[in-house]
Amino acid sequence: MKKQQLFYFLLVSLFIISCSKDEITHENEQSKEPTKQTVTAKNLKPIGSGVMMQAFYWDVPAGGTWWNVVKGKVADWSNAGIDAIWLPPASKAQNGPFSMGYDPFDYFDFGEYNQMGSIETRFGSTTELQSLINTAHTNNLSVIADIVLNHNSGGDSEYNPFKGTNTYTNYQPMSGMFNRTYYDFHPNDYHSNDEGVFGGFADLCHHKSYVQNWLWNNSNSVAKYYKNVVGFDGWRFDYVKGFAPWVVKDWKNAVGGFSVGEYWDGNAATLEWWANQAEVSAFDFACYYRMRDAFQGNNLNRLNDDMLWKRNASKAVTFVTNHDTDEIVNNKILAYAYILTHEGYPTIFYRDYEDWLNKERMNNLIWIHNNLASGNTSILYTDTDEYVARRNGYNGPGLVVYINNSNNWQERWVETNWSNTRIKDYTGHSNWEPVTQGGRWVKIQAPPKSYSVWSVK
């Protein structure tokens, strides 16, 4: 019995020594500090006061030019009413000069180390990224970093005792920051899995204190380096279904900044649950799918359905298209008229704004959002082809939006916020300037396959 106890004691001791060696290596690594200058104070528009621009699309041109392309547009975007730009994952990924960044390898290489087949990322160099961020800040815009925390890619093969075979979990990035081994991925000595894996990539274990320290706790963690050194102001968290909400909550509590998660689910109650658990905003996929049904499916009654912005507008980031999904093809401008007149924080997709839709009409809707769209929402009328809603105003007059998906001009009597008041259509689609009745009712109109937005003249 004593021999058996001694044998087990030796086995446990060897395991502890092995773990201790791993921790010693990690601690030595954590002593490294960033060498770049930290960012200075910024005078930024409050996020949510305007509109967010998703400043990329899938497969933007390779060749290291994208940061400069965006840099050349931020002044015009700011003048149009944009308050923040969302950038793609900025650090070096496994596919190097061809990667869109969602297969992260070295979180601290923004285009300065010769690894993964290139020095620059697909988007450009470290210097170009920081020049873009500085230019955005000069134009009072916040910069949102796309953060991929669920999975990593590009590690070397090593024997993994938790799988009994080799796995690609040996990460020795040239930045010398956040080296990783099989201890830091699933399965490991803590547990076998978490909420989800993605695409067969190495799945980070966020319960490991070493991983937490490198991602958000340490003074030179990914979160603090991105904020204090590179200059990012907020966070878009990729594939948050793959890990527990507390991960995003802890990150946000460690560094602050606007935070929104990509919880890809069309159920508004589920989105509300996740946003409350993480204590951050969520992309309103419920709104997206109801708009798809309404505008692509030609049934505006679907806009009556449940959405995150209707449950908690302060947590809802609305969108019509993003780099992953673009299902609202017909009548897309009507969908933008919807999100830019309703509650929630609206996002505009780069290609919709720069390439595909009428920029003058988009700028008009941004102006309407920033200047007229205040207060809670009352839906006044819906049928298959027509939708009318009122924003009831908060420190401002509010508005009435009339969306018409039919092939003919439509007119409708509606109850406004205003009594005996002349109103006008701020889109310019109608030249009517009616006066509301004493009981606040008035007849308004909207052109075919279009919209009008009415407020006090």
Side-chain angles (χ1 to χ4, degrees):
M1 189 68 174
K2 288 183 180 179
K3 287 182 180 179
Q4 243 183 338
Q5 288 174 338
L6 179 61
F7 175 72
Y8 287 134
F9 173 77
L10 289 172
L11 280 179
V12 171
S13 299
L14 285 170
F15 184 79
I16 291 172
I17 290 169
S18 173
C19 291
S20 298
K21 286 181 179 178
D22 188 59
E23 292 301 324
I24 289 169
T25 302
H26 289 339
E27 286 180 12
N28 289 338
E29 184 187 342
Q30 290 168 4
S31 67
K32 297 179 181 180
E33 293 292 337
T35 57
K36 298 182 179 69
Q37 294 293 318
T38 56
V39 296
T40 56
K42 297 158 284 191
N43 181 27
L44 306 178
K45 302 176 186 180
I47 292 182
S49 63
V51 176
M52 185 195 303
M53 174 68 73
Q54 180 175 357
F56 67 99
Y57 54 93
W58 197 257
D59 284 347
V60 300
T65 62
W66 192 248
W67 296 146
N68 288 334
V69 169
V70 175
K71 177 183 173 181
K73 296 182 181 295
V74 292
D76 288 342
W77 290 348
S78 181
N79 290 334
I82 300 299
D83 65 18
I85 59 171
W86 158 24
L87 300 184
S91 62
K92 189 69 62 67
Q94 179 182 14
N95 286 323
F98 308 107
S99 177
M100 284 298 297
Y102 291 94
D103 52 338
F105 172 73
D106 188 344
Y107 284 100
F108 296 89
D109 178 6
F110 299 93
E112 59 185 296
Y113 299 103
N114 190 357
Q115 56 183 341
M116 296 297 151
S118 67
I119 296 176
E120 292 189 344
T121 67
R122 182 189 190 101
F123 315 113
S125 67
T126 302
T127 301
E128 290 165 341
L129 171 63
Q130 293 192 305
S131 178
L132 160 58
I133 292 173
N134 290 337
T135 302
H137 289 161
T138 299
N139 286 276
N140 311 117
L141 298 180
S142 296
V143 183
I144 308 301
D146 202 319
I147 301 296
V148 184
L149 300 181
N150 179 72
H151 51 274
N152 291 168
S153 186
D156 291 330
S157 178
E158 63 180 350
Y159 180 74
N160 187 332
F162 303 108
K163 296 210 61 164
T165 185
N166 277 38
T167 54
Y168 292 95
T169 47
N170 182 18
Y171 286 75
Q172 305 296 324
M174 290 187 69
S175 68
M177 313 274 274
F178 196 14
N179 296 335
R180 282 146 281 166
T181 70
Y182 53 78
Y183 281 104
D184 307 311
F185 300 96
H186 296 114
N188 56 29
D189 54 334
Y190 186 89
H191 59 185
S192 296
N193 61 275
D194 61 2
E195 283 71 11
V197 299
F198 181 81
F201 292 126
D203 189 54
L204 273 172
C205 178
H206 303 95
H207 287 85
K208 285 285 202 166
S209 59
Y210 173 75
V211 174
Q212 295 176 20
N213 288 340
W214 263 116
L215 287 181
W216 62 80
N217 282 332
N218 287 350
S219 62
N220 60 342
S221 64
V222 174
K224 292 171 184 174
Y225 191 90
Y226 279 44
K227 181 179 181 181
N228 300 327
V229 178
V230 184
F232 285 107
D233 308 292
W235 324 102
R236 180 266 184 188
F237 294 94
D238 180 67
Y239 189 62
V240 296
K241 275 189 172 183
F243 47 89
W246 63 262
V247 173
V248 169
K249 178 181 175 180
D250 282 7
W251 175 297
K252 183 260 301 180
N253 289 342
V255 294
F258 173 80
S259 301
V260 57
E262 181 213 28
Y263 198 96
W264 197 321
D265 196 297
N267 186 297
T270 302
L271 295 172
E272 183 183 34
W273 164 83
W274 183 87
N276 288 338
Q277 291 294 308
E279 298 182 358
V280 302
S281 297
F283 284 103
D284 195 345
F285 279 92
C287 177
Y288 169 76
Y289 284 118
R290 301 302 83 75
M291 288 194 299
R292 180 199 63 184
D293 298 342
F295 298 115
Q296 192 69 17
N298 296 309
N299 183 6
L300 299 194
N301 285 312
R302 296 308 304 272
L303 299 177
N304 285 318
D305 294 348
D306 198 10
M307 305 176 191
L308 178 58
W309 74 257
K310 296 181 181 182
R311 290 169 169 261
N312 188 343
S314 67
K315 294 284 183 67
V317 177
T318 54
F319 66 99
V320 174
T321 305
N322 64 29
H323 62 290
D324 285 325
T325 183
D326 185 12
E327 298 177 89
I328 305 172
V329 179
N330 299 329
N331 310 314
K332 183 179 279 190
I333 192 67
L334 304 188
Y336 275 109
Y338 180 82
I339 69 168
L340 287 164
T341 55
H342 283 65
E343 294 169 74
Y345 179 33
T347 303
I348 288 178
F349 183 56
Y350 178 95
R351 298 213 74 177
D352 287 340
Y353 184 82
E354 291 290 341
D355 300 328
W356 293 337
L357 299 180
N358 184 301
K359 188 179 291 188
E360 183 178 352
R361 294 180 73 181
M362 294 289 282
N363 283 340
N364 171 251
L365 285 170
I366 295 170
W367 185 93
I368 287 170
H369 172 270
N370 293 353
N371 292 277
L372 301 176
S374 64
N376 58 16
T377 304
S378 300
I379 298 176
L380 303 180
Y381 179 82
T382 62
D383 64 21
T384 302
D385 294 326
E386 297 176 65
Y387 173 88
V388 187
R390 183 178 70 227
R391 293 294 298 275
N392 293 308
Y394 178 79
N395 293 330
L399 59 80
V400 174
V401 56
Y402 190 171
I403 297 175
N404 175 18
N405 197 33
S406 76
N407 293 318
N408 304 296
W409 278 85
Q410 298 292 345
E411 301 175 359
R412 190 159 298 281
W413 282 91
V414 297
E415 186 178 15
T416 72
N417 294 316
W418 320 293
S419 178
N420 299 314
T421 302
R422 186 171 298 279
I423 64 173
K424 62 175 281 189
D425 171 22
Y426 276 84
T427 70
H429 294 155
S430 170
N431 59 9
W432 283 9
E433 292 189 359
V435 176
T436 63
Q437 297 180 344
R440 303 186 299 183
W441 285 81
V442 71
K443 181 187 282 187
I444 58 175
Q445 63 176 190
K449 298 296 181 181
S450 191
Y451 54 89
S452 55
V453 180
W454 303 83
S455 189
V456 175
K457 183 176 178 182

